[in-house]
Amino acid sequence: MSKDAYGLAAEAAGVLKGRTGVDSFDVLLVMGSGWVPAADAIGAVVAEFPVTDLPGFAAPAVAGHFGTIRAVTTESGAKALILLGRTHLYEGRGVEPVVHGVRTAIAAGVRTVVLTNAAGGLRPETQRVGEPVLISDHINLTGSNPITGATFIDLTEVYSKRLRALAREVDPSLAEGVYVAFRGPTYETPAEIRMLRTLGGDLIGMSTALEAIAAREGGAEVLGLSLVTNPGAGLVGEPLNHEEVLQVGRETAARMGVLLGTLVNKL
């Protein structure tokens, strides 16, 4: 990340602290497509305002992403920061805006990052639509990386084993899978889905991997959660559309809210 990007994240963190009255945050939650309704179960709202009030943030360009930032206090007393939406690489703004939210949160004290997303399921024989899946690892096929220069980050454990174990304490039925990140915005072809299954992928989406890398660079632990909203292209013969993604999110909001709310109180 450039020095300007570091400075912009620090500047945004300073404004964030002033707007919320919170000197330091404990956890960041990034709510992906379909996950926004679940945010209400995480804690008592301290402040909420458009992300564009902070330096370096742009309004989300995707339906289902509200473009607001919320500070909450959980039942355990933790200070949580919730991004109700994210910037995607396919929006054409470059890599640094994609990870700016994570960088800002880390500059504001966050040491635990929870990344959620909607994902296509690559294993319909074992995955059910509407089920959350813990991300155990990822394959970054976006062609991008938020880190430049000779900064070498160990990605042996991008997604924390400790946090995944905590999540399974909350919900023992949670499965794990490898998330494959594409740039988008097109959905994958059936041939690409077959390739990804061969490579060992279990989930396919257009976010998360770059944010996870940025979080690890900043020293934060990362937990990733995918909501399976549809089978991958060609696996069941049905066309893909974004409204289906949002509908699954609305139908599962209560369960996802309980999962996240309980999990955050264990962190």
Side-chain angles (χ1 to χ4, degrees):
M1 185 171 67
S2 69
K3 290 183 179 180
D4 286 345
Y6 276 110
L8 189 60
E11 181 184 353
V15 176
L16 172 66
K17 293 176 183 180
R19 287 292 304 269
T20 60
V22 178
D23 290 334
S24 183
F25 289 89
D26 302 299
V27 58
L28 168 70
L29 298 100
V30 180
M31 310 304 283
S33 297
W35 284 84
V36 169
D40 293 338
I42 294 171
V45 178
V46 174
E48 183 170 350
F49 49 88
V51 292
T52 51
D53 287 0
L54 300 180
F57 284 85
V62 186
H65 290 253
F66 286 9
T68 58
I69 191 164
R70 180 184 298 177
V72 306
T73 301
T74 69
E75 289 182 5
S76 65
K79 302 298 182 183
L81 191 63
I82 306 173
L83 282 175
L84 299 171
R86 56 161 49 99
T87 295
H88 296 81
L89 191 60
Y90 58 73
E91 294 174 37
R93 298 186 175 113
V95 175
E96 289 184 350
V98 172
V99 300
H100 182 57
V102 169
R103 308 277 196 196
T104 297
I106 290 175
V110 162
R111 289 295 174 264
T112 302
V113 173
V114 180
L115 302 171
T116 72
N117 61 55
L122 301 179
R123 312 286 174 182
E125 62 273 18
T126 57
Q127 296 168 336
R128 292 190 300 173
V129 169
E131 291 293 315
V133 178
L134 289 169
I135 300 175
S136 59
D137 205 346
H138 74 231
I139 301 173
N140 179 15
L141 296 181
T142 66
S144 298
N145 194 305
I147 304 172
T148 58
T151 303
F152 304 109
I153 305 297
D154 177 25
L155 298 183
T156 303
E157 188 180 325
V158 184
Y159 303 92
S160 166
K161 291 180 181 178
R162 184 185 75 85
L163 295 182
R164 293 189 338 250
L166 280 177
R168 286 192 297 271
E169 288 179 12
V170 175
D171 186 347
S173 71
L174 285 172
E176 292 194 358
V178 175
Y179 179 86
V180 183
F182 267 29
R183 182 184 186 279
T186 54
Y187 290 112
E188 301 70 41
T189 67
E192 287 170 335
I193 293 297
R194 292 193 298 272
M195 174 191 73
L196 299 178
R197 283 168 56 95
T198 301
L199 290 175
D202 301 297
L203 306 151
I204 176 68
M206 305 174 192
S207 68
T208 302
L210 302 183
E211 293 163 312
I213 293 169
R216 292 300 299 130
E217 181 199 20
E221 276 192 291
V222 179
L223 178 70
L225 276 166
S226 291
L227 177 63
V228 178
T229 53
N230 56 271
L235 295 179
V236 295
E238 297 293 329
L240 305 179
N241 66 83
H242 190 61
E243 177 53 38
E244 177 185 19
V245 171
L246 300 181
Q247 181 60 33
V248 172
R250 288 189 289 267
E251 292 172 355
T252 60
R255 180 186 176 189
M256 298 305 103
V258 170
L259 172 61
L260 288 179
T262 307
L263 176 60
V264 169
N265 278 304
K266 283 181 168 287
L267 295 177

